Amino acid sequence: MEPVYRGLGRCVCCFWLAVAFDIVGLLVLLIGVFVNVFFYDLLIYAGAIVIFLSLIWWVFWYSGNIEVPPAELEDDVGLLKKDKGALSGIGGAVRRLSSRVSSGIRTSLRRNGAPSGTLADRTRRSAGGPPVVEQVSVAMATMTPQEDTPHSTVSSVASCDVEMPHTTTETSPT
């Protein structure tokens, strides 16, 4: 036999915590507004924050008192009626299809690792092969300025021609 809840419902503790937070927050807020102290702004903000935090307890109390009849929970938590069978009709076919698709996606993600966000990676994965990793080599060299006039240098990096301007640094006497 289920207990009968009256008045405040099942989550009485959350209700009283919400009321206590509201009362304390309102008192702190009103003290900050009406009492002449040098830290009144701290009291006003603290009271408002405590009242805001009471919303958490109100949501817990409200959501804890929502009653859903077991007939409506059938599809949500897997409680299927005995006389209907586990999978029947169009609903059963849709449920089987959904289960197959989601399990296929899960096994694909486990096999290939987490999908990356680039379009090229997605097209490589959809082609059926493993993801291709490209390496980019970067050549760096220390250069000394040979003349004060700016000129362009052409360097070959990974079979690409990139023009980079030559720059010089001027120092002022101190």
Side-chain angles (χ1 to χ4, degrees):
M1 182 172 150
E2 291 187 31
V4 177
Y5 297 102
R6 295 184 186 179
L8 300 177
R10 285 182 283 232
C11 302
V12 177
C13 181
C14 290
F15 175 82
W16 289 115
L17 276 170
V19 170
F21 270 58
D22 279 337
I23 291 171
V24 169
L26 187 63
L27 286 175
V28 171
L29 182 88
L30 292 176
I31 288 172
V33 170
F34 293 113
V35 175
N36 190 11
V37 291
F38 70 94
F39 55 92
Y40 67 93
D41 52 348
L42 173 72
L43 294 175
I44 292 172
Y45 287 129
I49 290 172
V50 171
I51 291 172
F52 176 75
L53 291 176
S54 77
L55 289 173
I56 295 171
W57 298 112
W58 285 117
V59 168
F60 283 167
W61 175 73
Y62 180 78
S63 61
N65 284 314
I66 295 175
E67 293 190 21
V68 180
E72 291 183 26
L73 284 176
E74 286 178 356
D75 290 339
D76 294 339
V77 294
L79 298 174
L80 296 174
K81 290 184 179 176
K82 305 277 190 251
D83 58 353
K84 287 176 82 174
L87 301 171
S88 63
I90 295 177
V94 169
R95 207 171 289 120
R96 279 192 304 264
L97 177 66
S98 171
S99 174
R100 285 181 185 164
V101 169
S102 62
S103 66
I105 291 173
R106 259 182 283 168
T107 57
S108 171
L109 289 177
R110 286 186 195 129
R111 196 172 345 119
N112 294 336
S116 96
T118 63
L119 181 63
D121 287 342
R122 275 187 249 141
T123 56
R124 281 189 208 114
R125 278 204 177 94
S126 65
V132 179
V133 179
E134 296 178 6
Q135 289 186 341
V136 176
S137 52
V138 177
M140 298 180 69
T142 306
M143 299 180 65
T144 57
Q146 296 180 2
E147 56 187 66
D148 289 339
T149 59
H151 62 280
S152 297
T153 311
V154 176
S155 70
S156 175
V157 176
S159 71
C160 294
D161 292 333
V162 178
E163 290 191 23
M164 299 182 63
H166 178 73
T167 58
T168 58
T169 306
E170 294 183 15
T171 58
S172 62
T174 54

